[in-house]
Amino acid sequence: MSRIGKQPVAVPDGVEITIEPELVKVKGPKGELEERVSRDIGVEQQNGEIVVTRPSDRGEHRALHGLTRSLIANMVEGVTNGYEKRLEIQGVGYRAQLQGDNKLVLALGYSHPVEITAPAGIDFEVPMPTRIAVRGISKQAVGEVAANIRKQRPPEPYKGKGIRYEGEYVARKVGKRA
């Protein structure tokens, strides 16, 4: 039995869950999310908890069991608290600034500024020119946008310049010696 899949998902107050065949919708104070689930996996609401079951011990059912439970738990967490990824910019002259509500303009040492527009449901915040916060209710969307920002100039191993996640360790290399 999947250790993650057999744990019930607690549903806090203010969160409304609608279970349809092959679709789970979660509505909370921060917004609404929906996720398609496999036809074979059973999702039921019992006593203020969501219970995910699987029909057999076949490999594909075991894999989908834990995945479905994690996706539902992430949706419940997202509509109640939301998700946030923080990025740091390191390098001389590298900076970020917010233009309007949903446009991030990055100066990363290229001959042109890099502009990133926030997709629906994602908010940017720039508390300092070298810090970026990506917020939203979908864990997948927040992670994907943060990864795309980091991809514009990943940290390089010699000087450590680039965009990194907050607290990310970049292994440094020793340069050439004369």
PDB file of all heavy atoms in Angstrom, residues 33-36 67 70-79 82-85 119-122 134-149 165:
ATOM      1  N   LEU A  33      -9.111  25.723  -8.007  1.00  0.00           N
ATOM      2  CA  LEU A  33      -8.249  24.870  -8.828  1.00  0.00           C
ATOM      3  C   LEU A  33      -9.003  23.608  -9.212  1.00  0.00           C
ATOM      4  O   LEU A  33      -9.900  23.164  -8.480  1.00  0.00           O
ATOM      5  CB  LEU A  33      -6.985  24.464  -8.050  1.00  0.00           C
ATOM      6  CG  LEU A  33      -5.972  25.560  -7.755  1.00  0.00           C
ATOM      7  CD1 LEU A  33      -4.916  25.040  -6.803  1.00  0.00           C
ATOM      8  CD2 LEU A  33      -5.320  26.035  -9.031  1.00  0.00           C
ATOM      9  N   GLU A  34      -8.624  23.020 -10.324  1.00  0.00           N
ATOM     10  CA  GLU A  34      -9.196  21.732 -10.698  1.00  0.00           C
ATOM     11  C   GLU A  34      -8.116  20.849 -11.295  1.00  0.00           C
ATOM     12  O   GLU A  34      -7.145  21.340 -11.867  1.00  0.00           O
ATOM     13  CB  GLU A  34     -10.376  21.895 -11.659  1.00  0.00           C
ATOM     14  CG  GLU A  34     -10.061  22.528 -12.984  1.00  0.00           C
ATOM     15  CD  GLU A  34     -11.301  22.643 -13.869  1.00  0.00           C
ATOM     16  OE1 GLU A  34     -12.349  23.094 -13.388  1.00  0.00           O
ATOM     17  OE2 GLU A  34     -11.187  22.267 -15.044  1.00  0.00           O
ATOM     18  N   GLU A  35      -8.290  19.552 -11.134  1.00  0.00           N
ATOM     19  CA  GLU A  35      -7.290  18.587 -11.607  1.00  0.00           C
ATOM     20  C   GLU A  35      -8.013  17.350 -12.125  1.00  0.00           C
ATOM     21  O   GLU A  35      -8.942  16.845 -11.485  1.00  0.00           O
ATOM     22  CB  GLU A  35      -6.356  18.213 -10.449  1.00  0.00           C
ATOM     23  CG  GLU A  35      -5.211  17.319 -10.844  1.00  0.00           C
ATOM     24  CD  GLU A  35      -4.145  18.045 -11.652  1.00  0.00           C
ATOM     25  OE1 GLU A  35      -3.797  19.172 -11.299  1.00  0.00           O
ATOM     26  OE2 GLU A  35      -3.683  17.452 -12.641  1.00  0.00           O
ATOM     27  N   ARG A  36      -7.574  16.870 -13.260  1.00  0.00           N
ATOM     28  CA  ARG A  36      -8.121  15.621 -13.791  1.00  0.00           C
ATOM     29  C   ARG A  36      -7.447  14.456 -13.070  1.00  0.00           C
ATOM     30  O   ARG A  36      -6.249  14.481 -12.824  1.00  0.00           O
ATOM     31  CB  ARG A  36      -7.867  15.521 -15.283  1.00  0.00           C
ATOM     32  CG  ARG A  36      -8.500  16.669 -16.063  1.00  0.00           C
ATOM     33  CD  ARG A  36      -8.619  16.394 -17.536  1.00  0.00           C
ATOM     34  NE  ARG A  36      -9.610  15.416 -17.913  1.00  0.00           N
ATOM     35  CZ  ARG A  36     -10.933  15.571 -17.797  1.00  0.00           C
ATOM     36  NH1 ARG A  36     -11.416  16.657 -17.264  1.00  0.00           N
ATOM     37  NH2 ARG A  36     -11.762  14.634 -18.201  1.00  0.00           N
ATOM     38  N   LEU A  67       0.305   9.755  -6.363  1.00  0.00           N
ATOM     39  CA  LEU A  67       0.299  10.981  -7.157  1.00  0.00           C
ATOM     40  C   LEU A  67      -1.010  11.735  -6.984  1.00  0.00           C
ATOM     41  O   LEU A  67      -1.009  12.947  -6.738  1.00  0.00           O
ATOM     42  CB  LEU A  67       0.512  10.652  -8.632  1.00  0.00           C
ATOM     43  CG  LEU A  67       0.310  11.828  -9.591  1.00  0.00           C
ATOM     44  CD1 LEU A  67       1.483  12.782  -9.503  1.00  0.00           C
ATOM     45  CD2 LEU A  67       0.128  11.347 -10.998  1.00  0.00           C
ATOM     46  N   SER A  70      -1.265  13.361  -3.568  1.00  0.00           N
ATOM     47  CA  SER A  70      -0.381  14.526  -3.463  1.00  0.00           C
ATOM     48  C   SER A  70      -0.925  15.724  -4.229  1.00  0.00           C
ATOM     49  O   SER A  70      -0.857  16.855  -3.750  1.00  0.00           O
ATOM     50  CB  SER A  70       1.008  14.197  -3.982  1.00  0.00           C
ATOM     51  OG  SER A  70       1.635  13.261  -3.149  1.00  0.00           O
ATOM     52  N   LEU A  71      -1.486  15.485  -5.413  1.00  0.00           N
ATOM     53  CA  LEU A  71      -2.045  16.580  -6.207  1.00  0.00           C
ATOM     54  C   LEU A  71      -3.226  17.227  -5.485  1.00  0.00           C
ATOM     55  O   LEU A  71      -3.350  18.454  -5.453  1.00  0.00           O
ATOM     56  CB  LEU A  71      -2.481  16.077  -7.585  1.00  0.00           C
ATOM     57  CG  LEU A  71      -1.363  15.686  -8.544  1.00  0.00           C
ATOM     58  CD1 LEU A  71      -1.944  15.084  -9.821  1.00  0.00           C
ATOM     59  CD2 LEU A  71      -0.487  16.862  -8.870  1.00  0.00           C
ATOM     60  N   ILE A  72      -4.085  16.407  -4.880  1.00  0.00           N
ATOM     61  CA  ILE A  72      -5.243  16.942  -4.161  1.00  0.00           C
ATOM     62  C   ILE A  72      -4.776  17.703  -2.923  1.00  0.00           C
ATOM     63  O   ILE A  72      -5.273  18.794  -2.621  1.00  0.00           O
ATOM     64  CB  ILE A  72      -6.226  15.811  -3.804  1.00  0.00           C
ATOM     65  CG1 ILE A  72      -6.852  15.255  -5.078  1.00  0.00           C
ATOM     66  CG2 ILE A  72      -7.312  16.313  -2.850  1.00  0.00           C
ATOM     67  CD1 ILE A  72      -7.662  14.008  -4.895  1.00  0.00           C
ATOM     68  N   ALA A  73      -3.798  17.162  -2.195  1.00  0.00           N
ATOM     69  CA  ALA A  73      -3.275  17.846  -1.005  1.00  0.00           C
ATOM     70  C   ALA A  73      -2.644  19.183  -1.391  1.00  0.00           C
ATOM     71  O   ALA A  73      -2.801  20.185  -0.683  1.00  0.00           O
ATOM     72  CB  ALA A  73      -2.259  16.961  -0.291  1.00  0.00           C
ATOM     73  N   ASN A  74      -1.937  19.241  -2.523  1.00  0.00           N
ATOM     74  CA  ASN A  74      -1.325  20.485  -2.985  1.00  0.00           C
ATOM     75  C   ASN A  74      -2.378  21.514  -3.386  1.00  0.00           C
ATOM     76  O   ASN A  74      -2.195  22.716  -3.169  1.00  0.00           O
ATOM     77  CB  ASN A  74      -0.381  20.223  -4.159  1.00  0.00           C
ATOM     78  CG  ASN A  74       0.881  19.513  -3.735  1.00  0.00           C
ATOM     79  OD1 ASN A  74       1.228  19.478  -2.563  1.00  0.00           O
ATOM     80  ND2 ASN A  74       1.566  18.925  -4.694  1.00  0.00           N
ATOM     81  N   MET A  75      -3.489  21.043  -3.976  1.00  0.00           N
ATOM     82  CA  MET A  75      -4.561  21.974  -4.339  1.00  0.00           C
ATOM     83  C   MET A  75      -5.206  22.564  -3.087  1.00  0.00           C
ATOM     84  O   MET A  75      -5.461  23.773  -3.030  1.00  0.00           O
ATOM     85  CB  MET A  75      -5.619  21.272  -5.191  1.00  0.00           C
ATOM     86  CG  MET A  75      -5.168  20.965  -6.584  1.00  0.00           C
ATOM     87  SD  MET A  75      -6.500  20.493  -7.701  1.00  0.00           S
ATOM     88  CE  MET A  75      -7.217  19.087  -6.919  1.00  0.00           C
ATOM     89  N   VAL A  76      -5.454  21.726  -2.070  1.00  0.00           N
ATOM     90  CA  VAL A  76      -6.052  22.203  -0.818  1.00  0.00           C
ATOM     91  C   VAL A  76      -5.124  23.209  -0.149  1.00  0.00           C
ATOM     92  O   VAL A  76      -5.559  24.273   0.312  1.00  0.00           O
ATOM     93  CB  VAL A  76      -6.373  21.017   0.126  1.00  0.00           C
ATOM     94  CG1 VAL A  76      -6.756  21.507   1.508  1.00  0.00           C
ATOM     95  CG2 VAL A  76      -7.476  20.156  -0.459  1.00  0.00           C
ATOM     96  N   GLU A  77      -3.832  22.910  -0.110  1.00  0.00           N
ATOM     97  CA  GLU A  77      -2.842  23.823   0.477  1.00  0.00           C
ATOM     98  C   GLU A  77      -2.779  25.141  -0.310  1.00  0.00           C
ATOM     99  O   GLU A  77      -2.671  26.218   0.261  1.00  0.00           O
ATOM    100  CB  GLU A  77      -1.472  23.153   0.490  1.00  0.00           C
ATOM    101  CG  GLU A  77      -0.331  24.019   0.940  1.00  0.00           C
ATOM    102  CD  GLU A  77      -0.315  24.265   2.434  1.00  0.00           C
ATOM    103  OE1 GLU A  77      -0.948  23.501   3.182  1.00  0.00           O
ATOM    104  OE2 GLU A  77       0.336  25.238   2.838  1.00  0.00           O
ATOM    105  N   GLY A  78      -2.857  25.051  -1.634  1.00  0.00           N
ATOM    106  CA  GLY A  78      -2.763  26.236  -2.483  1.00  0.00           C
ATOM    107  C   GLY A  78      -3.926  27.194  -2.303  1.00  0.00           C
ATOM    108  O   GLY A  78      -3.730  28.400  -2.242  1.00  0.00           O
ATOM    109  N   VAL A  79      -5.160  26.676  -2.219  1.00  0.00           N
ATOM    110  CA  VAL A  79      -6.312  27.574  -2.092  1.00  0.00           C
ATOM    111  C   VAL A  79      -6.461  28.115  -0.676  1.00  0.00           C
ATOM    112  O   VAL A  79      -7.171  29.092  -0.465  1.00  0.00           O
ATOM    113  CB  VAL A  79      -7.630  26.906  -2.549  1.00  0.00           C
ATOM    114  CG1 VAL A  79      -7.568  26.552  -4.014  1.00  0.00           C
ATOM    115  CG2 VAL A  79      -7.980  25.716  -1.698  1.00  0.00           C
ATOM    116  N   GLY A  82      -1.594  29.280  -0.336  1.00  0.00           N
ATOM    117  CA  GLY A  82      -0.860  29.695  -1.524  1.00  0.00           C
ATOM    118  C   GLY A  82       0.587  29.202  -1.467  1.00  0.00           C
ATOM    119  O   GLY A  82       1.045  28.672  -0.455  1.00  0.00           O
ATOM    120  N   TYR A  83       1.302  29.381  -2.557  1.00  0.00           N
ATOM    121  CA  TYR A  83       2.695  28.953  -2.655  1.00  0.00           C
ATOM    122  C   TYR A  83       3.569  30.134  -3.028  1.00  0.00           C
ATOM    123  O   TYR A  83       3.104  31.087  -3.646  1.00  0.00           O
ATOM    124  CB  TYR A  83       2.851  27.845  -3.704  1.00  0.00           C
ATOM    125  CG  TYR A  83       2.306  26.533  -3.239  1.00  0.00           C
ATOM    126  CD1 TYR A  83       1.060  26.093  -3.633  1.00  0.00           C
ATOM    127  CD2 TYR A  83       3.035  25.734  -2.379  1.00  0.00           C
ATOM    128  CE1 TYR A  83       0.554  24.888  -3.198  1.00  0.00           C
ATOM    129  CE2 TYR A  83       2.546  24.528  -1.934  1.00  0.00           C
ATOM    130  CZ  TYR A  83       1.300  24.114  -2.349  1.00  0.00           C
ATOM    131  OH  TYR A  83       0.803  22.925  -1.898  1.00  0.00           O
ATOM    132  N   GLU A  84       4.842  30.046  -2.666  1.00  0.00           N
ATOM    133  CA  GLU A  84       5.784  31.111  -2.962  1.00  0.00           C
ATOM    134  C   GLU A  84       7.167  30.520  -3.204  1.00  0.00           C
ATOM    135  O   GLU A  84       7.591  29.615  -2.501  1.00  0.00           O
ATOM    136  CB  GLU A  84       5.855  32.086  -1.789  1.00  0.00           C
ATOM    137  CG  GLU A  84       6.862  33.187  -1.988  1.00  0.00           C
ATOM    138  CD  GLU A  84       6.948  34.112  -0.787  1.00  0.00           C
ATOM    139  OE1 GLU A  84       7.446  33.685   0.261  1.00  0.00           O
ATOM    140  OE2 GLU A  84       6.485  35.244  -0.932  1.00  0.00           O
ATOM    141  N   LYS A  85       7.828  31.020  -4.235  1.00  0.00           N
ATOM    142  CA  LYS A  85       9.229  30.682  -4.496  1.00  0.00           C
ATOM    143  C   LYS A  85      10.002  31.990  -4.511  1.00  0.00           C
ATOM    144  O   LYS A  85       9.581  32.965  -5.125  1.00  0.00           O
ATOM    145  CB  LYS A  85       9.398  30.006  -5.857  1.00  0.00           C
ATOM    146  CG  LYS A  85       8.951  28.574  -5.914  1.00  0.00           C
ATOM    147  CD  LYS A  85      10.104  27.658  -5.726  1.00  0.00           C
ATOM    148  CE  LYS A  85       9.663  26.233  -6.008  1.00  0.00           C
ATOM    149  NZ  LYS A  85      10.685  25.297  -5.705  1.00  0.00           N
ATOM    150  N   PRO A 119       1.873  34.675 -16.035  1.00  0.00           N
ATOM    151  CA  PRO A 119       0.632  34.052 -16.509  1.00  0.00           C
ATOM    152  C   PRO A 119      -0.496  34.274 -15.505  1.00  0.00           C
ATOM    153  O   PRO A 119      -0.265  34.763 -14.393  1.00  0.00           O
ATOM    154  CB  PRO A 119       1.007  32.565 -16.615  1.00  0.00           C
ATOM    155  CG  PRO A 119       2.239  32.387 -15.844  1.00  0.00           C
ATOM    156  CD  PRO A 119       2.899  33.712 -15.713  1.00  0.00           C
ATOM    157  N   ALA A 120      -1.688  33.921 -15.882  1.00  0.00           N
ATOM    158  CA  ALA A 120      -2.849  34.103 -15.003  1.00  0.00           C
ATOM    159  C   ALA A 120      -2.648  33.319 -13.711  1.00  0.00           C
ATOM    160  O   ALA A 120      -2.200  32.179 -13.725  1.00  0.00           O
ATOM    161  CB  ALA A 120      -4.109  33.631 -15.710  1.00  0.00           C
ATOM    162  N   GLY A 121      -2.947  33.948 -12.587  1.00  0.00           N
ATOM    163  CA  GLY A 121      -2.837  33.277 -11.292  1.00  0.00           C
ATOM    164  C   GLY A 121      -1.477  33.400 -10.639  1.00  0.00           C
ATOM    165  O   GLY A 121      -1.268  32.870  -9.554  1.00  0.00           O
ATOM    166  N   ILE A 122      -0.527  34.086 -11.280  1.00  0.00           N
ATOM    167  CA  ILE A 122       0.822  34.245 -10.730  1.00  0.00           C
ATOM    168  C   ILE A 122       1.085  35.724 -10.483  1.00  0.00           C
ATOM    169  O   ILE A 122       0.763  36.564 -11.313  1.00  0.00           O
ATOM    170  CB  ILE A 122       1.891  33.674 -11.698  1.00  0.00           C
ATOM    171  CG1 ILE A 122       1.681  32.186 -11.925  1.00  0.00           C
ATOM    172  CG2 ILE A 122       3.293  33.948 -11.185  1.00  0.00           C
ATOM    173  CD1 ILE A 122       1.921  31.319 -10.714  1.00  0.00           C
ATOM    174  N   VAL A 134       7.852  34.841  -6.363  1.00  0.00           N
ATOM    175  CA  VAL A 134       6.820  34.379  -7.283  1.00  0.00           C
ATOM    176  C   VAL A 134       5.735  33.741  -6.427  1.00  0.00           C
ATOM    177  O   VAL A 134       6.018  32.798  -5.676  1.00  0.00           O
ATOM    178  CB  VAL A 134       7.389  33.352  -8.293  1.00  0.00           C
ATOM    179  CG1 VAL A 134       6.315  32.894  -9.257  1.00  0.00           C
ATOM    180  CG2 VAL A 134       8.565  33.931  -9.048  1.00  0.00           C
ATOM    181  N   ARG A 135       4.501  34.229  -6.536  1.00  0.00           N
ATOM    182  CA  ARG A 135       3.410  33.716  -5.698  1.00  0.00           C
ATOM    183  C   ARG A 135       2.239  33.275  -6.556  1.00  0.00           C
ATOM    184  O   ARG A 135       1.980  33.843  -7.609  1.00  0.00           O
ATOM    185  CB  ARG A 135       2.915  34.800  -4.743  1.00  0.00           C
ATOM    186  CG  ARG A 135       3.893  35.168  -3.694  1.00  0.00           C
ATOM    187  CD  ARG A 135       3.219  35.955  -2.582  1.00  0.00           C
ATOM    188  NE  ARG A 135       4.202  36.301  -1.577  1.00  0.00           N
ATOM    189  CZ  ARG A 135       4.837  37.456  -1.520  1.00  0.00           C
ATOM    190  NH1 ARG A 135       4.590  38.377  -2.406  1.00  0.00           N
ATOM    191  NH2 ARG A 135       5.714  37.692  -0.568  1.00  0.00           N
ATOM    192  N   GLY A 136       1.507  32.268  -6.040  1.00  0.00           N
ATOM    193  CA  GLY A 136       0.300  31.797  -6.716  1.00  0.00           C
ATOM    194  C   GLY A 136      -0.346  30.692  -5.916  1.00  0.00           C
ATOM    195  O   GLY A 136       0.159  30.286  -4.865  1.00  0.00           O
ATOM    196  N   ILE A 137      -1.469  30.176  -6.422  1.00  0.00           N
ATOM    197  CA  ILE A 137      -2.158  29.108  -5.693  1.00  0.00           C
ATOM    198  C   ILE A 137      -1.827  27.728  -6.246  1.00  0.00           C
ATOM    199  O   ILE A 137      -2.039  26.734  -5.572  1.00  0.00           O
ATOM    200  CB  ILE A 137      -3.695  29.330  -5.680  1.00  0.00           C
ATOM    201  CG1 ILE A 137      -4.266  29.355  -7.088  1.00  0.00           C
ATOM    202  CG2 ILE A 137      -4.056  30.578  -4.936  1.00  0.00           C
ATOM    203  CD1 ILE A 137      -5.784  29.382  -7.128  1.00  0.00           C
ATOM    204  N   SER A 138      -1.295  27.656  -7.448  1.00  0.00           N
ATOM    205  CA  SER A 138      -0.939  26.374  -8.050  1.00  0.00           C
ATOM    206  C   SER A 138       0.554  26.114  -7.846  1.00  0.00           C
ATOM    207  O   SER A 138       1.396  26.871  -8.315  1.00  0.00           O
ATOM    208  CB  SER A 138      -1.256  26.384  -9.541  1.00  0.00           C
ATOM    209  OG  SER A 138      -0.717  25.242 -10.160  1.00  0.00           O
ATOM    210  N   LYS A 139       0.873  25.037  -7.148  1.00  0.00           N
ATOM    211  CA  LYS A 139       2.276  24.709  -6.872  1.00  0.00           C
ATOM    212  C   LYS A 139       3.045  24.485  -8.172  1.00  0.00           C
ATOM    213  O   LYS A 139       4.191  24.922  -8.309  1.00  0.00           O
ATOM    214  CB  LYS A 139       2.336  23.455  -5.996  1.00  0.00           C
ATOM    215  CG  LYS A 139       3.717  23.116  -5.509  1.00  0.00           C
ATOM    216  CD  LYS A 139       3.679  21.953  -4.541  1.00  0.00           C
ATOM    217  CE  LYS A 139       5.030  21.725  -3.911  1.00  0.00           C
ATOM    218  NZ  LYS A 139       5.004  20.639  -2.930  1.00  0.00           N
ATOM    219  N   GLN A 140       2.411  23.828  -9.126  1.00  0.00           N
ATOM    220  CA  GLN A 140       3.062  23.543 -10.398  1.00  0.00           C
ATOM    221  C   GLN A 140       3.354  24.828 -11.172  1.00  0.00           C
ATOM    222  O   GLN A 140       4.455  25.011 -11.697  1.00  0.00           O
ATOM    223  CB  GLN A 140       2.179  22.619 -11.234  1.00  0.00           C
ATOM    224  CG  GLN A 140       2.770  22.305 -12.590  1.00  0.00           C
ATOM    225  CD  GLN A 140       1.867  21.406 -13.410  1.00  0.00           C
ATOM    226  OE1 GLN A 140       0.879  20.890 -12.916  1.00  0.00           O
ATOM    227  NE2 GLN A 140       2.206  21.229 -14.662  1.00  0.00           N
ATOM    228  N   ALA A 141       2.397  25.728 -11.228  1.00  0.00           N
ATOM    229  CA  ALA A 141       2.587  26.973 -11.976  1.00  0.00           C
ATOM    230  C   ALA A 141       3.659  27.848 -11.339  1.00  0.00           C
ATOM    231  O   ALA A 141       4.493  28.431 -12.036  1.00  0.00           O
ATOM    232  CB  ALA A 141       1.269  27.742 -12.072  1.00  0.00           C
ATOM    233  N   VAL A 142       3.667  27.943 -10.008  1.00  0.00           N
ATOM    234  CA  VAL A 142       4.671  28.753  -9.311  1.00  0.00           C
ATOM    235  C   VAL A 142       6.068  28.192  -9.575  1.00  0.00           C
ATOM    236  O   VAL A 142       7.001  28.928  -9.894  1.00  0.00           O
ATOM    237  CB  VAL A 142       4.375  28.818  -7.793  1.00  0.00           C
ATOM    238  CG1 VAL A 142       5.550  29.400  -7.037  1.00  0.00           C
ATOM    239  CG2 VAL A 142       3.130  29.637  -7.536  1.00  0.00           C
ATOM    240  N   GLY A 143       6.215  26.885  -9.471  1.00  0.00           N
ATOM    241  CA  GLY A 143       7.512  26.257  -9.714  1.00  0.00           C
ATOM    242  C   GLY A 143       7.982  26.415 -11.146  1.00  0.00           C
ATOM    243  O   GLY A 143       9.168  26.646 -11.413  1.00  0.00           O
ATOM    244  N   GLU A 144       7.049  26.320 -12.083  1.00  0.00           N
ATOM    245  CA  GLU A 144       7.409  26.434 -13.491  1.00  0.00           C
ATOM    246  C   GLU A 144       7.842  27.851 -13.845  1.00  0.00           C
ATOM    247  O   GLU A 144       8.837  28.053 -14.550  1.00  0.00           O
ATOM    248  CB  GLU A 144       6.204  26.029 -14.353  1.00  0.00           C
ATOM    249  CG  GLU A 144       6.512  25.909 -15.816  1.00  0.00           C
ATOM    250  CD  GLU A 144       5.343  25.372 -16.618  1.00  0.00           C
ATOM    251  OE1 GLU A 144       4.424  24.785 -16.034  1.00  0.00           O
ATOM    252  OE2 GLU A 144       5.360  25.571 -17.839  1.00  0.00           O
ATOM    253  N   VAL A 145       7.133  28.859 -13.342  1.00  0.00           N
ATOM    254  CA  VAL A 145       7.501  30.247 -13.623  1.00  0.00           C
ATOM    255  C   VAL A 145       8.847  30.574 -12.979  1.00  0.00           C
ATOM    256  O   VAL A 145       9.701  31.214 -13.596  1.00  0.00           O
ATOM    257  CB  VAL A 145       6.393  31.208 -13.138  1.00  0.00           C
ATOM    258  CG1 VAL A 145       6.859  32.648 -13.198  1.00  0.00           C
ATOM    259  CG2 VAL A 145       5.149  31.036 -13.983  1.00  0.00           C
ATOM    260  N   ALA A 146       9.057  30.109 -11.734  1.00  0.00           N
ATOM    261  CA  ALA A 146      10.334  30.352 -11.061  1.00  0.00           C
ATOM    262  C   ALA A 146      11.481  29.685 -11.820  1.00  0.00           C
ATOM    263  O   ALA A 146      12.567  30.264 -11.966  1.00  0.00           O
ATOM    264  CB  ALA A 146      10.280  29.853  -9.623  1.00  0.00           C
ATOM    265  N   ALA A 147      11.244  28.481 -12.330  1.00  0.00           N
ATOM    266  CA  ALA A 147      12.283  27.787 -13.097  1.00  0.00           C
ATOM    267  C   ALA A 147      12.589  28.522 -14.405  1.00  0.00           C
ATOM    268  O   ALA A 147      13.750  28.590 -14.832  1.00  0.00           O
ATOM    269  CB  ALA A 147      11.856  26.349 -13.390  1.00  0.00           C
ATOM    270  N   ASN A 148      11.565  29.103 -15.037  1.00  0.00           N
ATOM    271  CA  ASN A 148      11.792  29.861 -16.274  1.00  0.00           C
ATOM    272  C   ASN A 148      12.573  31.138 -16.011  1.00  0.00           C
ATOM    273  O   ASN A 148      13.400  31.544 -16.828  1.00  0.00           O
ATOM    274  CB  ASN A 148      10.461  30.186 -16.957  1.00  0.00           C
ATOM    275  CG  ASN A 148       9.877  28.984 -17.661  1.00  0.00           C
ATOM    276  OD1 ASN A 148      10.592  28.048 -18.006  1.00  0.00           O
ATOM    277  ND2 ASN A 148       8.576  28.990 -17.850  1.00  0.00           N
ATOM    278  N   ILE A 149      12.316  31.779 -14.869  1.00  0.00           N
ATOM    279  CA  ILE A 149      13.092  32.975 -14.518  1.00  0.00           C
ATOM    280  C   ILE A 149      14.545  32.584 -14.275  1.00  0.00           C
ATOM    281  O   ILE A 149      15.466  33.239 -14.762  1.00  0.00           O
ATOM    282  CB  ILE A 149      12.493  33.669 -13.282  1.00  0.00           C
ATOM    283  CG1 ILE A 149      11.123  34.257 -13.621  1.00  0.00           C
ATOM    284  CG2 ILE A 149      13.424  34.764 -12.771  1.00  0.00           C
ATOM    285  CD1 ILE A 149      10.371  34.771 -12.422  1.00  0.00           C
ATOM    286  N   TYR A 165      17.750  30.022  -6.650  1.00  0.00           N
ATOM    287  CA  TYR A 165      16.700  29.972  -5.635  1.00  0.00           C
ATOM    288  C   TYR A 165      17.284  30.431  -4.308  1.00  0.00           C
ATOM    289  O   TYR A 165      18.480  30.286  -4.060  1.00  0.00           O
ATOM    290  CB  TYR A 165      16.162  28.546  -5.482  1.00  0.00           C
ATOM    291  CG  TYR A 165      15.462  28.025  -6.712  1.00  0.00           C
ATOM    292  CD1 TYR A 165      15.990  26.969  -7.444  1.00  0.00           C
ATOM    293  CD2 TYR A 165      14.268  28.579  -7.136  1.00  0.00           C
ATOM    294  CE1 TYR A 165      15.360  26.488  -8.565  1.00  0.00           C
ATOM    295  CE2 TYR A 165      13.626  28.108  -8.258  1.00  0.00           C
ATOM    296  CZ  TYR A 165      14.173  27.057  -8.974  1.00  0.00           C
ATOM    297  OH  TYR A 165      13.543  26.590 -10.088  1.00  0.00           O
TER     298      TYR A 165
END
